[in-house]
Amino acid sequence: METIQKLIQCSSCHVKCAMCGLQIHETAPSSEVSFPSMGLAFCESCGAEFEDFLAVSKGKKESDVFWHNEEWIKMWSTWLKYRQAIHAFMDSTEFQLLLDELDSHS
């Protein structure tokens, strides 16, 4: 149970970049890229990559960066699905029961 709790807490940390884990609030606020509706905060470089991913995957632009290939799109798509799965699990009744169980044992 503690492993699940740590996984959820660490993946939902808002003081670290959601992608690379860099502490973002220790840097200048202007270097943070945030997507509050998605519950994501990125360092500047990961944020730029994520913004490009969103634009490219929605067909709004073609990337001008050579490594933004099909595998790069799959990497970001899979990562985003993983993040969505974590949030769906956090919203589940069973996860709430798990948190209650952990609270009752502490």
Side-chain angles (χ1 to χ4, degrees):
M1 289 191 297
E2 289 178 25
T3 301
I4 295 294
Q5 185 181 29
K6 293 284 185 196
L7 171 71
I8 300 300
Q9 286 175 336
C10 292
S11 69
S12 301
C13 182
H14 294 293
V15 297
K16 291 183 179 180
C17 175
M19 182 57 139
C20 73
L22 177 73
Q23 295 238 338
I24 53 177
H25 291 293
E26 290 182 0
T27 60
S30 63
S31 66
E32 177 185 334
V33 180
S34 184
F35 295 84
S37 65
M38 300 173 120
L40 300 172
F42 295 101
C43 67
E44 189 173 12
S45 60
C46 290
E49 287 285 297
F50 188 65
E51 287 175 336
D52 279 353
F53 160 72
L54 291 175
V56 169
S57 65
K58 292 177 182 176
K60 293 184 177 179
K61 78 170 209 167
E62 291 212 14
S63 181
D64 53 352
V65 181
F66 74 91
W67 68 83
H68 290 183
N69 57 18
E70 195 63 36
E71 289 75 20
W72 175 84
I73 293 170
K74 286 179 186 177
M75 177 199 63
W76 276 104
S77 295
T78 302
W79 179 85
L80 189 55
K81 287 177 187 173
Y82 166 74
R83 296 296 305 221
Q84 291 166 340
I86 287 175
H87 286 285
F89 179 62
M90 288 172 56
D91 290 339
S92 72
T93 303
E94 294 80 4
F95 182 71
Q96 296 307 313
L97 291 171
L98 173 62
L99 291 181
D100 292 343
E101 179 78 18
L102 289 172
D103 283 344
S104 70
H105 284 92
S106 45

